[in-house]
Amino acid sequence: MGADDETAPEPAAPGALDERDRAVLELEGRSWRTAGAKERAVREELGLSSTRYYQLLNALLDRPEALAHAPVLVNRLRRVRDTRRAARQARPQEHGPASGG
């Protein structure tokens, strides 16, 4: 309503990718030369732990807005995720030590 409204950051429209979402996709689409470089970039550029980064990325893969923003990347990552999920489900279940009584 006042002049202060002009300095407030624009929230993303409902259903749209916000700045962090776009930054996650951009970072994921890069090539990495050394081990640890990606994790370092995640910490330095996004201020996220690796675990939180992958949680956000995984959630983004299910959003149509992410697919519209980066279709090649999102489809490739979906295929990788689905392949890994299928491999995990195909493995025999490991059980802990048998409890005796």
Side-chain angles (χ1 to χ4, degrees), residues 63-84:
R63 292 183 54 193
E65 301 86 4
L67 182 61
H69 181 77
V72 174
L73 174 67
V74 170
N75 280 324
R76 179 176 60 82
L77 294 173
R78 284 178 175 180
R79 282 192 306 272
V80 169
R81 180 179 66 178
D82 293 346
T83 299
R84 289 179 180 166

Side-chain angles (χ1 to χ4, degrees), residues 16-54:
L17 297 178
D18 62 20
E19 187 175 327
R20 183 182 65 182
D21 294 338
R22 289 188 302 272
V24 166
L25 291 172
E26 187 275 325
L27 195 140
E28 187 62 27
R30 292 187 208 165
S31 297
W32 303 99
R33 290 184 176 184
T34 62
K38 182 177 180 181
E39 287 74 18
R40 188 169 34 259
V42 166
R43 278 192 315 275
E44 292 174 1
E45 296 177 27
L46 302 176
L48 298 170
S49 69
S50 291
T51 300
R52 183 64 182 140
Y53 170 79
Y54 285 110

